[in-house]
Amino acid sequence: MRAKNNNGMGWLFASPYLLYGLIFFLIPLGWSFYLSITDWNLIAPVFHHVGIDNFIKALKSPGVHAAFFVTFKFMIVFVPMVIASSLIVALVVHGLPRFKGLFLIGFFLPYLASGVVSSFIVKGFLSYNSPVNTFLRGQFGLDINWLGTPLSALLLVAVIIAWKFTGYYALILTSGFESINQEIYEAAAIDGVNGWQRFWKITLPLLYPALFTTLILSIGVTFGIFTEVYQLTGGGPNFGTNTWQMEIYKQAFQNLSAGYASAVALIASVVTFISIFIIRKFLEMWGKRNGWT
């Protein structure tokens, strides 16, 4: 009898989360599956079932192909950038004798900033008549179109997002640094281990839990990039920054092809799940080689 009461109490406490998941995840997911086999245009009350035509069309679409490759390009650029900057910030803060929390809050503040606002500021800062471009033209004769090529646009967006997330990930990494037993470093110093060897052979392996978390989070970010791309490039130039979210938005709200956009969204979900699953397995293998199970 007591076991039944405990089970009932457990379901009661879990019910808010379960209800939230039902309303905001399972129902929209089911509706997305249904829309993906229709030709609904987001407006008409009547639409037709088209089977898997939307999926076949998506797999042949240049926009979908671009979204697939652009996401991994962002991953290659953004993840090392944000992890390196977060590690540097975490190392600096960890070495401070006092006021660590205050400095971490300062670095964390960009994470709270609106992506729309920061994108508008960057767009104005790099516009043709901005002080930066005016100075470069006047002093060096340089006329740089910062968003005019796929590579420069991708790098710029990656830098903005890295700036936004560095403080957040540094907070996680700092907690990882604080959890490392200092006696290990003292023993290594006695054995003649230098600073570079200590970082690669001791610090990084012992920092694995925090690194694992930040790596998975940063990889997940690359599959959800939208605001900065929408404000700065619109997915261009030449599909150079056309992320999954940007492609879904274009098809759903610009081309009014909600059924097709749902198919693209489901393909994006599958790609995201498989990619993160594979990367996670590689990270777990690295952790096991360093004694983490």
Side-chain angles (χ1 to χ4, degrees):
M1 187 67 179
R2 179 175 295 178
K4 290 183 179 180
N5 291 335
N6 289 338
N7 287 337
M9 188 63 68
W11 281 105
L12 178 64
F13 282 117
S15 60
Y17 175 79
L18 295 174
L19 188 63
Y20 175 87
L22 175 66
I23 295 174
F24 295 102
F25 179 73
L26 291 180
I27 293 177
L29 180 63
W31 181 240
S32 181
F33 271 110
Y34 178 72
L35 286 181
S36 67
I37 59 171
T38 71
D39 62 354
W40 188 42
N41 64 2
L42 206 64
I43 297 175
V46 178
F47 47 87
H48 307 91
H49 293 86
V50 296
I52 62 172
D53 289 354
N54 286 330
F55 292 94
I56 295 174
K57 179 182 175 182
L59 292 174
K60 297 179 179 179
S61 168
V64 172
H65 296 166
F68 178 85
F69 289 108
V70 165
T71 297
F72 289 103
K73 289 177 183 177
F74 267 118
M75 191 182 299
I76 292 170
V77 174
F78 166 73
V79 173
M81 185 188 302
V82 75
I83 294 300
S85 59
S86 300
L87 273 171
I88 292 171
V89 171
L91 280 168
V92 171
V93 172
H94 176 63
L96 294 175
R98 59 180 66 184
F99 303 122
K100 294 182 181 181
L102 182 63
F103 281 94
L104 280 175
I105 291 173
F107 285 113
F108 183 76
L109 287 178
Y111 180 73
L112 304 177
S114 168
V116 176
V117 174
S118 58
S119 298
F120 269 120
I121 292 172
V122 171
K123 194 170 186 178
F125 190 72
L126 299 178
S127 65
Y128 181 80
N129 293 320
S130 69
V132 174
N133 282 329
T134 301
F135 174 78
L136 291 175
R137 284 196 304 272
Q139 298 297 322
F140 304 102
L142 297 176
D143 190 6
I144 302 175
N145 185 358
W146 298 93
L147 300 171
T149 66
L151 179 60
S152 62
L154 187 144
L155 287 172
L156 185 60
V157 173
V159 168
I160 295 171
I161 302 174
W163 167 79
K164 181 181 180 68
F165 282 91
T166 291
Y168 175 38
Y169 298 154
L171 186 65
I172 299 172
L173 292 172
T174 301
S175 66
F177 280 119
E178 297 290 338
S179 66
I180 298 175
N181 191 338
Q182 296 301 309
E183 293 180 358
I184 299 175
Y185 291 130
E186 294 172 1
I190 294 172
D191 292 335
V193 176
N194 60 40
W196 190 249
Q197 292 174 328
R198 186 179 72 171
F199 179 76
W200 284 104
K201 300 295 184 180
I202 299 175
T203 303
L204 279 184
L206 292 177
L207 202 61
Y208 169 77
L211 273 175
F212 179 88
T213 301
T214 53
L215 280 167
I216 293 297
L217 288 174
S218 60
I219 290 166
V221 165
T222 61
F223 289 94
I225 296 173
F226 174 73
T227 303
E228 292 78 10
V229 167
Y230 176 76
Q231 294 292 339
L232 293 173
T233 66
N238 299 324
F239 291 114
T241 57
N242 193 56
T243 61
W244 284 111
Q245 305 301 319
M246 195 67 223
E247 179 66 16
I248 294 167
Y249 172 83
K250 286 179 182 177
Q251 300 302 330
F253 300 105
Q254 292 183 0
N255 298 339
L256 298 181
S257 300
Y260 175 69
S262 297
V264 175
L266 291 174
I267 293 173
S269 300
V270 172
V271 171
T272 302
F273 175 80
I274 293 175
S275 301
I276 293 179
F277 178 81
I278 293 173
I279 294 170
R280 193 191 73 180
K281 289 299 180 183
F282 279 107
L283 291 175
E284 289 175 350
M285 289 170 57
W286 175 60
K288 287 180 180 179
R289 285 201 301 267
N290 289 284
W292 297 93
T293 57

